[in-house]
Amino acid sequence: MVTRLEQLRQVLPVEVDAILILKPDNRAYITGFTGSAGYVLVGKNMASILTDFRYVEQASAQATEFTCLDYAPSLHDALNKALNDGNITKLGFESDFVTFGNYQTLKENLVVELVPVTGAVEKLRMVKDEAELSYMQKATEIAEAALEMILPKIKAGVSEAYVALELEVAMRRLGGERLAFDSISASGPRSSLPHGRASERVIQTGDFLTLDFGAVYNGYCCDMTRSFVIGTASPEQEKIYNIVLEAQRAALAAVRPGIVGKDVDKVARDIISAAGYGERFGHGLGHGVGRMVHEGPSAGSKSEDILQPGMVVTIEPGIYIPEWGGVRIEDMVVVTENGYRNFNRFSKELICL
Ligand code: ZN
Ligand code: ZN
């Protein structure tokens, strides 16, 4: 098996001798080291983690392919020594992460030329291995069991914030280590806000309620959305819900290796547009998920990303009508050799609570 370290070496840009990894998710992904601080250097013939006293032992245990060093008393002296030992003169850095201030400090103190590099580790992260997929499956199972558990508590008279908190506590109790993101709990007219954070609004009979939420398991996120009606659905609510559901199912059916992200988006968008609501579906169809809730590849209307087996994307069309309400249905799927596998099993029929 080719390790992640080896894969990174293979995709390092030719302009650099090594890369300095500071992004926490990239550091954990490449090294296995889960501590909160560490400077990772990867070159053709070198792999080092420079960290502080708190983490040297943990880093040595977790990152077995790496030389783990305590950088005390001077980080920059330790980095310069490692760079010198590795014959590094051109060092890539994550220019989409390093702040201008940190860049200036590195530039002043390191004896190498700094070269901006983006997306090297992120590109590897797009394709998940079996272990990562199993964590994401578990995260989804936690989220779905939590939703099932709290459904009886959702009714007219409780607030959006109450529903979100109940959901969040349930996910933690069921083994979620944290939330994948701030839960969205948007009811009534607020459900037309695609990213309506839970507010104090009291849920009323006749409302749509959209819940978009996720748990993290072993460092991996899940992301799902379901929309409900409180009480009895009106014909208009049923109509809008069913358009979104039809678009979601059609887009799912289009997921397979080789399809371009924007073409999956188009399948859903065409259905919503044909029904007259194209203007009311104002966001991309989906996004990658992994250690971050939003990562590559994209399944949005401009995405040129080509889906490959092992990539995880969400499929989440929606219709949002200002001052009336909105619906979104979101599943997370992994691309397989023949199509896709859905992490979610929670019903997508319109549930009236
Ligand atoms: Zn979501
Ligand atoms: Zn999403």
Side-chain angles (χ1 to χ4, degrees):
M1 199 190 89
V2 183
T3 65
R4 292 172 183 173
L5 170 60
E6 223 24 77
Q7 287 175 24
L8 175 58
R9 285 177 169 145
Q10 287 166 13
V11 301
L12 271 190
V14 289
E15 314 84 78
V16 301
D17 306 316
I19 185 169
L20 173 66
I21 297 169
L22 298 178
K23 214 184 266 192
D25 285 309
N26 286 349
R27 179 175 61 220
Y29 179 83
I30 288 297
T31 67
F33 166 53
T34 55
S36 65
Y39 290 73
V40 175
L41 285 171
V42 172
K44 291 283 173 216
N45 304 307
M46 71 172 313
S48 303
I49 302 177
L50 287 81
T51 187
D52 62 68
F53 175 78
R54 296 170 298 165
Y55 285 127
V56 179
E57 193 179 339
Q58 181 186 340
S60 306
Q62 291 180 320
T64 49
E65 293 175 288
F66 287 73
T67 307
C68 302
L69 306 164
D70 183 345
Y71 59 63
S74 159
L75 168 67
H76 295 124
D77 288 352
L79 277 172
N80 279 327
K81 177 167 189 321
L83 292 166
N84 191 42
D85 290 350
N87 267 330
I88 310 301
T89 57
K90 292 182 176 183
L91 179 64
F93 71 100
E94 296 157 305
S95 56
D96 59 343
F97 180 75
V98 173
T99 64
F100 185 62
N102 286 346
Y103 168 76
Q104 284 181 313
T105 307
L106 290 173
K107 197 169 150 63
E108 278 163 26
N109 290 285
L110 299 189
V111 295
V112 292
E113 181 189 339
L114 289 169
V115 182
V117 170
T118 51
V121 181
E122 286 81 354
K123 199 172 159 205
L124 303 179
R125 278 171 48 187
M126 281 203 264
V127 176
K128 271 70 182 179
D129 64 26
E130 284 305 319
E132 293 175 294
L133 295 173
S134 73
Y135 305 148
M136 297 178 80
Q137 183 64 55
K138 178 75 179 167
T140 306
E141 284 165 13
I142 290 167
E144 294 200 329
L147 179 57
E148 194 76 54
M149 254 170 77
I150 67 131
L151 277 188
K153 297 183 177 184
I154 303 176
K155 51 184 157 233
V158 303
S159 71
E160 296 169 357
Y162 167 85
V163 173
L165 180 63
E166 289 294 317
L167 193 51
E168 292 167 3
V169 170
M171 287 195 285
R172 292 294 309 277
R173 279 199 207 290
L174 290 164
E177 59 199 44
R178 57 186 164 85
L179 303 178
F181 53 95
D182 288 341
S183 308
I184 289 166
S185 172
S187 66
R190 290 192 78 251
S191 59
S192 71
L193 305 172
H195 273 191
R197 296 271 160 81
S199 80
E200 290 303 322
R201 183 181 184 276
V202 173
I203 296 169
Q204 291 163 33
T205 303
D207 280 355
F208 263 130
L209 171 66
T210 293
L211 297 176
D212 186 347
F213 59 100
V216 176
Y217 184 79
N218 247 342
Y220 284 79
C221 300
C222 73
D223 183 11
M224 69 178 285
T225 307
R226 290 293 182 270
S227 295
F228 305 96
V229 168
I230 311 301
T232 312
S234 69
E236 183 73 357
Q237 284 174 321
E238 272 185 30
K239 184 182 112 183
I240 298 293
Y241 189 92
N242 286 326
I243 296 165
V244 174
L245 182 56
E246 187 195 342
Q248 208 257 359
R249 288 193 167 136
L252 280 175
V255 173
R256 61 177 182 275
I259 194 164
V260 180
K262 67 181 181 188
D263 293 335
V264 188
D265 177 286
K266 187 172 185 300
V267 171
R269 203 165 296 282
D270 283 352
I271 289 171
I272 291 173
S273 296
Y277 295 94
E279 298 287 301
R280 309 264 55 97
F281 173 24
H283 59 74
L285 176 68
H287 54 86
V289 186
R291 303 188 76 91
M292 301 271 285
V293 71
H294 289 137
E295 54 181 56
S298 162
S301 60
K302 296 193 175 76
S303 170
E304 300 290 343
D305 294 339
I306 298 168
L307 299 189
Q308 294 166 34
M311 288 183 171
V312 171
V313 286
T314 64
I315 301 294
E316 51 178 309
I319 294 178
Y320 312 92
I321 302 172
E323 287 159 44
W324 181 77
V327 170
R328 177 166 65 258
I329 302 170
E330 174 179 28
D331 286 339
M332 189 173 80
V333 304
V334 55
V335 182
T336 61
E337 294 295 334
N338 313 312
Y340 72 96
R341 187 172 83 239
N342 200 329
F343 290 94
N344 292 93
R345 293 186 193 107
F346 200 96
S347 174
K348 289 188 283 197
E349 295 306 321
L350 178 55
I351 297 176
C352 296
L353 298 166

